Amino acid sequence: MYTYGRISVVSFFILLICTGFGPNAANAETLPPEDQPSLRLSMSGAFQPFSTTDINGNLVGFDADMARELAKQMGYAPELVQNDWAGIQAGLQTGKYDLICGSMAITPQRLEKMLFSLPYYVSGAQIFARRGLGALRGSRIAVTEDSTYARYIESHPEQFPEVEIYTFGSEAEIVAAMNTDKIDAFVSDRIVGGFYIKKGAAGDIEPWGDLLYREAVGIAARPDSAALIRQVNQALLALVQNGTYEKIYRKWVGNAPDVEILFAAWGDYAQFIPGPENSNRPEVNERKPGFANNLSTMLPLLARGAMLTLLLSIVTAITALGTGALIGIGTVARHTLLRRLSNAFIWVVRGTPLLVQLFMAYFALATAINRLLGFEAVGAMGAAFIALIVNTTAYNAETLRGGINAVDRGQWDAAASIGMTRGKILRRIILPQAFRDSLPSLGNNLVVLIKDTSLVGAITLIELTYVARNVVFQTGQAFLPFLCAAGFYLVIISLVTIGVKSWEARLLRSRKALGETI
Amino acid sequence: MTANPLVEIETRDLRKSFGELTVLDGVDFKVRRHQVHALIGPSGSGKSTFLRCLNLLEYPDAGEIFWKGEPVRYRTMRPSELSRHRTKMGMVFQHFHLFPHRNVLDNVVEGPVQVLGTPTRKAREQGMALLRQVGLEDKAKAWPAQLSGGQKQRVAIARALAMNPEVLLLDEVTSALDVEMISGINELLTGLAEGGMTMVVVTHDLAFARQVADCICFFDHGRIVESGTPERVLEQPDSTRLREFLSSFRT
Ligand SMILES: Nc1ncnc2c1ncn2[C@@H]1O[C@H](COP(=O)(O)OP(=O)(O)OP(=O)(O)O)[C@@H](O)[C@H]1O
Ligand SMILES: [Mg+2]
């Protein structure tokens, strides 16, 4: 854990990351090519007031404004990418975006894997507790997964005696948990917590005790992006100099930034700041965006998430029905290798969690394909389709395999006895019966699939559950957004269930009760 | 060997085991044209397995099968040859095994259209004629699930006949039926026999066997222990095993 107490320590780190820093040190070796003038910057969108999403689903906040202004200052068109905090470093390393401008504290561990810019703000870790909470002993404290706060708690158990630690995937769930009395306190950024208090977003809370430690927050880049980081540093200096930084800071944090502390953090590099320059000051939008805090503003947002959920579900369902049938037939193929491969596929896919498959498709497979082809052929959406289709294919194949084996052996005998060959028997006699008998289970697989699409939020896709979580975070209301999301899911799943049932009824007409006329 | 025009199928020393269990222990058998052969014997003696070896639903472990004097090389047969061999004999099962997702007429028509390549229209006409023959003309559009056991077995017989087989293999076709259905099916089979159909009938119905069969074979422990005319086999049994078997029916 890096605590920002001693300037010399900071200087050391800055020296470490900014070697070659200087006004004229810009170097083109690793810059994006000329014909791609956009710069992709990522943030979680779940860390008010630094990053969050507005009523239209756009990223807004201190980080978002800084990202836009920095990119413009550097001569790029800003392209903001929302990514779950837990996967944000992996996204950077695999080239999903160029920079993380998402309130990432500079720590020695992170410096081993990434380059950091000069700190662009200095904050600290603070415990926030329900008003009137006496001692921490025996209380429930929440923290975001993979954060510096989580590591601090781990390494300072003596400060948290008999405390139950809850780890959430993002700050959004912590706010929801605080609002629903699932926790008594949480550790977060002091500015973030101050914002909650001002807005009442996380219920009636107050800072508990002193600042745990200070931390300097920087913009992270891949280790091979030294030139890019130098550009960021220059742009940051320019924004501080021309007052843009202060405007953005005031807009989101509410007070003027403590430039002394920031400069101290810059340590020895303060001397490189160029003189005042009042040429072209970029305009900062001072108006704050609106947030979805009632049903009428919430529903369109959720509906958009539901559309993505529906799209993912429909395309996957249709595709996986065909591929599932192929693999299912593969398990009863006469060809031994084909049979083994089919069974191995089912075994591997059913034996691993969908979330892992999503990450593999997104971070490993998609990245490999894109590198091979030399352009962004498979994005988050493509990766989500791959993972969902592969997953559902395996379950459908297993269902169908069971259905095929459940068909009476006598059917094979009867068909063979009239001279039908194996392929024909399968196609005309066995599969229709297996499919008809498997349809309820296949429908069930489909329902599971629809619910499982909620996992694609982990790879930056803004589907229904993800939207609901964001709305919860923006408004501090835990109940209504989730209730609406549940309603959307229920509608989608009901429609699908009705469809499958009517199909089933058509296929089952041959089973109708004795004497009924056809 | 010189082909005997009166022998459709012949087996020599046919053997088959399931793991440790020897089910066929050297069966020599001739199926003669226009004759009805009844196979009788205790449960588990290998009658069904033998029948299934004739149309290669089951592969013998050893022994020879001849079709009209030509050896059937079942070990090296290609799928198309296997298919052709099976179409020469129709098989009817104890439990019917109708295709539940096809209506009655489509059950009958499936083989001719899919295997023989008969045009659908012609196959349907022939199928309707067969359904008329088995007395189910009015059920052509019904689903198997809507039929009684006796009706199902008639459809199964029609399905087998639709392939125009030279031999009919019947495995206890009345065992799963209610008593009142049995005589109808037996009459149907008797009619077919009188029409000159070559048949191999596995049955526990000794009265029917005596009435319809030209020859009765007694199976025991995977062998044919005795065979001959119904009168000979049923009234003057040589072996104690057959006498015991027959006496179990009289009580
Ligand atoms: N596929 C198989 N796998 C293992 N054993 C089998 C198989 N088929 C038949 N058997 C066994 O082989 C023996 C002979 O069976 P088979 O069906 O030929 O007798 P069966 O004379 O037709 O008897 P039943 O009068 O009861 O129909 C039985 O013990 C049976 O359990
Ligand atoms: Mg039997």
Side-chain angles (χ1 to χ4, degrees):
Chain A
M1 174 58 50
Y2 161 61
T3 51
Y4 173 75
R6 305 178 138 209
I7 287 178
S8 59
V9 178
V10 186
S11 309
F12 172 75
F13 286 133
I14 292 171
L15 203 70
L16 200 76
I17 59 183
C18 294
T19 35
F21 174 86
N24 299 314
N27 179 338
E29 82 217 74
T30 56
L31 293 185
E34 292 283 53
D35 57 336
Q36 188 211 334
S38 75
L39 185 67
R40 295 165 303 170
L41 304 102
S42 176
M43 56 203 71
S44 70
F47 203 57
Q48 250 175 335
F50 293 103
S51 73
T52 181
T53 47
D54 70 4
I55 198 162
N56 299 314
N58 297 322
L59 282 164
V60 294
F62 178 80
D63 288 340
D65 279 358
M66 280 301 287
R68 289 198 182 92
E69 293 306 328
L70 281 169
K72 275 188 229 156
Q73 185 72 31
M74 291 159 72
Y76 295 110
E79 190 185 312
L80 270 50
V81 181
Q82 190 174 11
N83 200 100
D84 234 17
W85 182 252
I88 206 162
Q89 288 192 41
L92 177 72
Q93 301 292 3
T94 52
K96 303 289 169 201
Y97 30 79
D98 309 298
L99 295 169
I100 297 173
C101 184
S103 294
M104 185 172 272
I106 306 169
T107 68
Q109 293 97 319
R110 286 172 181 159
L111 276 168
E112 280 170 17
K113 289 172 272 171
M114 293 174 285
L115 294 182
F116 276 89
S117 70
L118 292 174
Y120 69 102
Y121 70 91
V122 176
S123 189
Q126 173 72 53
I127 299 172
F128 293 91
R130 187 161 25 84
R131 188 174 297 282
L133 183 76
L136 280 188
R137 186 178 292 276
S139 63
R140 302 161 300 172
I141 297 189
V143 70
T144 310
E145 192 183 326
D146 194 34
S147 62
T148 50
Y149 320 129
R151 255 165 272 136
Y152 181 83
I153 293 178
E154 245 173 62
S155 53
H156 296 76
E158 74 286 349
Q159 290 185 30
F160 302 92
E162 293 171 41
V163 159
E164 230 184 309
I165 303 296
Y166 286 66
T167 309
F168 288 101
S170 84
E171 198 93 357
E173 282 93 17
I174 294 182
V175 169
M178 201 71 213
N179 273 308
T180 50
D181 284 331
K182 299 223 162 26
I183 51 170
D184 306 302
F186 61 94
V187 181
S188 186
D189 183 273
R190 79 180 159 83
I191 299 171
V192 173
F195 191 83
Y196 292 158
I197 293 173
K198 211 165 71 193
K199 291 198 65 179
D204 192 13
I205 55 169
E206 59 186 359
W208 189 97
D210 297 327
L211 208 59
L212 295 174
Y213 57 89
R214 279 192 188 200
E215 54 185 8
V217 174
I219 292 157
R222 279 186 297 280
D224 64 357
S225 306
L228 191 61
I229 280 293
R230 282 195 289 272
Q231 278 191 312
V232 171
N233 283 339
Q234 281 176 308
L236 180 58
L237 299 183
L239 293 184
V240 171
Q241 280 300 299
N242 69 20
T244 308
Y245 177 78
E246 187 180 336
K247 276 190 187 166
I248 297 174
Y249 196 94
R250 278 182 182 281
K251 173 179 166 189
W252 293 104
V253 182
N255 53 283
D258 193 340
V259 190
E260 289 302 323
I261 291 181
L262 186 68
F263 284 176
W266 288 2
D268 294 342
Y269 285 88
Q271 58 184 290
F272 289 113
I273 298 169
E277 186 188 317
N278 42 12
S279 47
N280 48 350
R281 286 193 174 192
E283 274 300 305
V284 175
N285 179 7
E286 308 256 14
R287 219 189 81 248
K288 288 200 184 182
F291 293 108
N293 50 15
N294 59 35
L295 202 58
S296 61
T297 47
M298 209 179 277
L299 277 177
L301 269 182
L302 288 164
R304 219 178 310 158
M307 287 308 291
L308 180 59
T309 297
L310 198 61
L311 176 72
L312 288 167
S313 303
I314 288 175
V315 174
T316 305
I318 292 171
T319 315
L321 203 59
T323 51
L326 286 180
I327 306 274
I329 295 167
T331 62
V332 293
R334 214 178 341 195
H335 208 284
T336 315
L337 185 66
L338 208 62
R339 218 169 45 231
R340 294 233 172 101
L341 283 176
S342 305
N343 283 319
F345 172 83
I346 294 174
W347 174 65
V348 169
V349 176
R350 286 178 72 231
T352 48
L354 177 59
L355 190 59
V356 174
Q357 291 160 8
L358 273 171
F359 282 137
M360 273 168 58
Y362 185 52
F363 293 124
L365 186 66
T367 308
I369 292 175
N370 294 342
R371 286 220 180 109
L372 198 72
L373 298 180
F375 68 100
E376 175 97 359
V378 182
M381 193 72 128
F385 276 127
I386 290 172
L388 288 172
I389 288 171
V390 163
N391 189 273
T392 310
T393 295
Y395 280 91
N396 284 353
E398 175 65 10
T399 301
L400 219 53
R401 193 184 68 83
I404 290 171
N405 290 336
V407 173
D408 182 11
R409 291 297 308 171
Q411 292 290 311
W412 287 91
D413 286 347
S417 78
I418 56 172
M420 294 177 82
T421 48
R422 193 182 160 87
K424 265 203 176 124
I425 297 174
L426 253 180
R427 204 165 63 246
R428 297 188 54 88
I429 306 299
I430 305 301
L431 282 179
Q433 295 183 53
F435 182 73
R436 182 196 63 192
D437 295 344
S438 307
L439 202 55
S441 306
L442 290 172
N444 197 43
N445 292 352
L446 192 50
V447 169
V448 172
L449 158 73
I450 294 169
K451 294 182 194 164
D452 277 354
T453 58
S454 61
L455 290 174
V456 305
I459 58 168
T460 75
L461 292 177
I462 317 299
E463 47 64 60
L464 187 48
T465 302
Y466 197 97
V467 174
R469 280 166 49 178
N470 270 342
V471 174
V472 166
F473 177 64
Q474 288 164 10
T475 59
Q477 303 176 21
F479 187 62
L480 195 55
F482 285 135
L483 187 71
C484 292
F488 273 112
Y489 278 115
L490 202 58
V491 169
I492 294 173
I493 287 172
S494 302
L495 288 176
V496 166
T497 309
I498 291 168
V500 172
K501 280 259 151 61
S502 69
W503 194 4
E504 209 179 305
R506 260 187 48 202
L507 291 184
L508 283 180
R509 70 205 195 286
S510 58
R511 286 251 172 114
K512 275 187 187 165
L514 207 126
E516 204 171 318
T517 49
I518 307 295
Chain B
M1 80 176 252
T2 51
N4 179 345
L6 293 180
V7 176
E8 299 276 13
I9 316 171
E10 178 174 355
T11 68
R12 288 198 206 148
D13 198 26
L14 212 60
R15 290 171 185 278
K16 173 79 182 172
S17 318
F18 292 108
E20 295 284 283
L21 182 72
T22 301
V23 179
L24 297 181
D25 195 11
V27 179
D28 299 303
F29 185 66
K30 284 194 174 101
V31 180
R32 291 172 202 281
R33 184 171 302 172
H34 304 314
Q35 295 211 343
V36 177
H37 313 260
L39 309 186
I40 61 170
S43 183
S45 57
K47 307 180 296 291
S48 297
T49 306
F50 177 69
L51 216 54
R52 292 164 62 82
C53 282
L54 291 182
N55 71 348
L56 297 175
L57 284 184
E58 217 75 73
Y59 279 65
D61 297 335
E64 290 163 293
I65 302 174
F66 298 90
W67 172 262
K68 292 192 199 297
E70 289 292 317
V72 177
R73 304 183 202 286
Y74 53 86
R75 282 190 195 84
T76 56
M77 242 177 187
R78 278 177 289 129
S80 60
E81 292 172 317
L82 178 63
S83 167
R84 213 171 313 122
H85 176 75
R86 284 174 176 161
T87 56
K88 289 172 188 161
M89 46 203 113
M91 194 172 206
V92 184
F93 305 85
Q94 180 178 356
H95 294 289
F96 333 124
H97 301 325
L98 295 183
F99 307 134
H101 59 303
R102 295 285 161 83
N103 69 27
V104 165
L105 182 58
D106 287 343
N107 263 274
V108 176
V109 159
E110 179 75 12
V113 172
Q114 291 300 320
V115 180
L116 302 178
T118 313
T120 312
R121 210 203 169 108
K122 190 168 167 225
R124 286 178 165 264
E125 280 167 16
Q126 290 170 348
M128 284 309 293
L130 282 169
L131 288 179
R132 207 172 300 131
Q133 188 184 342
V134 300
L136 284 176
E137 203 182 358
D138 56 327
K139 294 288 184 188
K141 287 270 152 62
W143 297 104
Q146 297 169 311
L147 303 180
S148 73
Q151 290 171 327
K152 281 181 193 167
Q153 201 56 294
R154 286 163 192 270
V155 176
I157 291 169
R159 178 174 67 182
L161 291 174
M163 298 300 290
N164 228 339
E166 297 181 52
V167 179
L168 214 48
L169 310 175
L170 302 130
D171 192 357
E172 299 193 38
V173 295
T174 54
S175 296
L177 299 182
D178 294 335
V179 191
E180 61 267 30
M181 311 267 188
I182 293 177
S183 63
I185 297 290
N186 282 348
E187 268 165 41
L188 182 59
L189 297 179
T190 309
L192 286 171
E194 282 164 1
M197 177 59 81
T198 310
M199 297 200 267
V200 184
V201 184
V202 174
T203 186
H204 286 290
D205 186 342
L206 295 186
F208 176 63
R210 169 189 288 252
Q211 175 206 325
V212 77
D214 300 295
C215 153
I216 293 186
C217 300
F218 173 60
F219 264 71
D220 192 38
H221 289 105
R223 291 166 183 269
I224 297 178
V225 177
E226 261 182 71
S227 66
T229 62
E231 295 73 28
R232 227 275 298 132
V233 171
L234 298 180
E235 280 156 25
Q236 291 138 31
D238 281 340
S239 61
T240 34
R241 287 292 294 146
L242 179 53
R243 272 197 292 276
E244 282 166 19
F245 177 71
L246 292 176
S247 69
S248 71
F249 276 84
R250 296 206 183 92
T251 47

